[in-house]
Amino acid sequence: MFTNKTVLDRRLPCVHRYLSLPIPDNTTQCMYVWIDGTGEHVRAKTKTVDFIPKSPSELPIWNFDGSSTGQAEGSNSDVYLYPVALYRDPFRLGNNKLVLCETYKHNRKPADTNFRHTCKEVMDKAAEQHPWFGMEQEYTLLDSDQHPFGWPKNGFPGPQGPYYCGVGASKVYARDVVESHYRACLYAGVMIAGTNAEVMPSQWEFQVGPAEGIRMGDDLWMGRFLLHRVAEDFGINVSLDPKPIPGDWNGAGCHTNFSTLAMREKGGITHIEKAIEKLGSNHAHHIKMYDPNEGRDNSRRLTGRHETSSIHDFSAGVANRGASIRIPRQVAEEGYGYLEDRRPSSNCDPYRVTEAIVRTTCLD
Ligand code: ADP
Ligand code: MN
Ligand code: MN
Ligand code: MN
């Protein structure tokens, strides 16, 4: 199972030699990154510019062939890329940049999977309430045959129990991918908060936050891009499927921790409770916003088992990991802090999730 990695290790000195070739002063390789027509996967391509960009607005609007990404018809295929956030490039190093982009159609209207556009409007409206988010991105590593990485090829590993936050060769698989991704995020400027091995073997989590407003979606998408890109170097695939293995194996979610300034101040628990009440009145809408297929993906995961609530019911509780919303124990004791919405699917669009939460709880 380490074949790909071994090949890579032999190739590495050679790749490094080319990547350390000096490039002309003031030349920057800018890798434009965008969300494709699935609303779940990312695409990227690179442009050379003859200056060192300090902000995304200095970079040119670009375009791509939307008919090849599920984003346009062949007869009118150009989709525009508008640079919106800049990150340092942990692969090419130097002054080179990763450029997160929004997609726009030929008529300059947001493309169908551009949910950042309205998210940004909502975050601007709620700016005075200083909404913070922390998202816990769970994911599963797959071998090149799409089977979970490190699992026996003709069967299953032992039952769940020893894997969560596990240590040891038969407890966790591909830690080197996780460590490399963590560094890459820190280098790039993604606000990564931590990582842990998850309940199902070869399932992991990284957290981003606390990030204010639109930065939550930006940094989580860039964190996902970095994960796919790092894993590519190891010959490993990343799945964001919310229930990659049916049966007695945990699914993958994207718990979304949320607070406003009022919730974070002394006595803020009353604001947390008010927000939970509003979330309860809008359960069906939130479920629609919490995966790319209006709840169909998440319905395989939110069964009421394996540390989830049922997709049909709304519930909230202190330290309750079987509820839709969990109030962390410490928050209940101190009387202020944040809430955790446990419903979003691992393949959710963080722009849709954070927009829905702010619309429901801050802009009613
Ligand atoms: P869990 O116990 O559910 O596994 P994690 O430690 O994985 O929790 O994730 C908690 C997340 O909550 C982190 O991303 C952290 O940045 C975020 N967070 C902490 N405080 C706040 C806050 N006041 N508002 C929003 N998010 C917060
Ligand atoms: Mn967590
Ligand atoms: Mn988790
Ligand atoms: Mn959680």
Side-chain angles (χ1 to χ4, degrees):
M1 75 185 175
F2 289 106
T3 323
N4 285 322
K5 237 178 83 180
T6 318
V7 172
L8 180 83
D9 288 347
R10 268 189 273 121
R11 236 166 33 199
L12 264 179
C14 167
V15 173
H16 277 167
R17 198 148 47 84
Y18 296 124
L19 285 181
S20 59
L21 289 172
I23 59 176
D25 285 349
N26 291 322
T27 293
T28 312
Q29 293 168 289
C30 293
M31 185 175 249
Y32 283 44
V33 176
W34 70 97
I35 301 157
D36 75 9
T38 62
E40 176 173 339
H41 299 288
V42 283
R43 310 266 179 144
K45 63 173 187 166
T46 303
K47 180 182 204 60
T48 310
V49 299
D50 60 2
F51 61 97
I52 298 164
K54 297 278 179 296
S55 104
S57 59
E58 294 168 32
L59 283 168
I61 291 172
W62 202 13
N63 57 62
F64 65 95
D65 169 14
S67 69
S68 301
T69 63
Q71 285 169 295
E73 309 266 312
S75 56
N76 202 348
S77 66
D78 279 6
V79 176
Y80 294 105
L81 291 171
Y82 286 35
V84 292
L86 276 190
Y87 298 85
R88 296 169 74 199
D89 185 337
F91 309 103
R92 293 172 170 145
L93 308 178
N95 291 319
N96 300 307
K97 299 286 184 269
L98 299 174
V99 185
L100 186 70
C101 296
E102 278 190 39
T103 51
Y104 285 84
K105 294 193 252 203
H106 60 91
N107 59 9
R108 305 277 172 172
K109 295 246 182 334
D112 294 348
T113 54
N114 177 358
F115 294 105
R116 188 183 189 277
H117 180 80
T118 53
C119 182
K120 177 78 168 59
E121 288 174 355
V122 164
M123 292 304 168
D124 288 345
K125 273 190 206 150
E128 280 174 16
Q129 298 181 50
H130 297 283
W132 287 9
F133 305 92
M135 293 181 81
E136 305 168 44
Q137 176 69 63
E138 293 179 339
Y139 59 93
T140 309
L141 296 175
L142 304 178
D143 215 337
S144 46
D145 60 4
Q146 305 302 314
H147 195 67
F149 185 81
W151 284 33
K153 289 298 175 195
N154 304 308
F156 295 90
Q160 294 183 159
Y163 309 114
Y164 169 74
C165 297
V167 180
S170 54
K171 306 289 195 300
V172 295
Y173 305 113
R175 189 188 293 278
D176 37 10
V177 172
V178 175
E179 293 297 328
S180 305
H181 170 252
Y182 200 158
R183 269 304 168 102
C185 284
L186 289 172
Y187 179 91
V190 166
M191 244 182 164
I192 187 165
T195 65
N196 60 268
E198 270 303 335
V199 175
M200 185 181 96
S202 226
Q203 199 178 76
W204 295 83
E205 168 178 313
F206 69 95
Q207 304 96 25
V208 174
E212 184 161 336
I214 198 71
R215 180 150 188 207
M216 181 64 248
D218 288 351
D219 276 22
L220 186 58
W221 274 112
M222 190 47 73
R224 286 175 177 178
F225 167 80
L226 292 171
L227 181 60
H228 290 295
R229 176 63 187 79
V230 164
E232 172 190 321
D233 278 350
F234 292 84
I236 289 174
N237 291 301
V238 176
S239 170
L240 297 187
D241 190 288
K243 192 77 177 186
I245 310 294
D248 247 339
W249 302 98
N250 273 30
C254 196
H255 298 166
T256 302
N257 301 273
F258 166 66
S259 63
T260 58
L261 181 59
M263 295 177 188
R264 293 188 293 269
E265 286 176 345
K266 206 160 168 271
I269 191 82
T270 56
H271 295 272
I272 294 174
E273 283 161 359
K274 262 186 231 155
I276 292 174
E277 210 175 294
K278 292 178 190 169
L279 288 169
S281 312
N282 291 280
H283 179 64
H285 172 69
H286 280 256
I287 288 295
K288 270 194 181 166
M289 297 297 117
Y290 285 3
D291 79 44
N293 291 298
E294 304 202 323
R296 279 191 297 279
D297 292 346
N298 223 351
S299 66
R300 290 183 280 121
R301 161 180 168 258
L302 293 179
T303 56
R305 302 183 57 220
H306 304 111
E307 299 175 52
T308 71
S309 59
S310 160
I311 196 165
H312 305 294
D313 305 321
F314 181 86
S315 56
V318 174
N320 184 354
R321 287 172 194 269
S324 315
I325 307 287
R326 167 178 150 251
I327 300 174
R329 170 79 58 206
Q330 195 188 344
V331 172
E333 276 167 10
E334 293 178 343
Y336 61 91
Y338 61 99
L339 61 85
E340 177 191 43
D341 190 337
R342 300 177 59 81
R343 297 170 294 174
S345 169
S346 46
N347 63 351
C348 70
D349 185 330
Y351 296 129
R352 297 179 91 178
V353 172
T354 58
E355 176 181 335
I357 291 175
V358 168
R359 271 188 198 280
T360 298
T361 66
C362 300
L363 300 180
D364 56 319

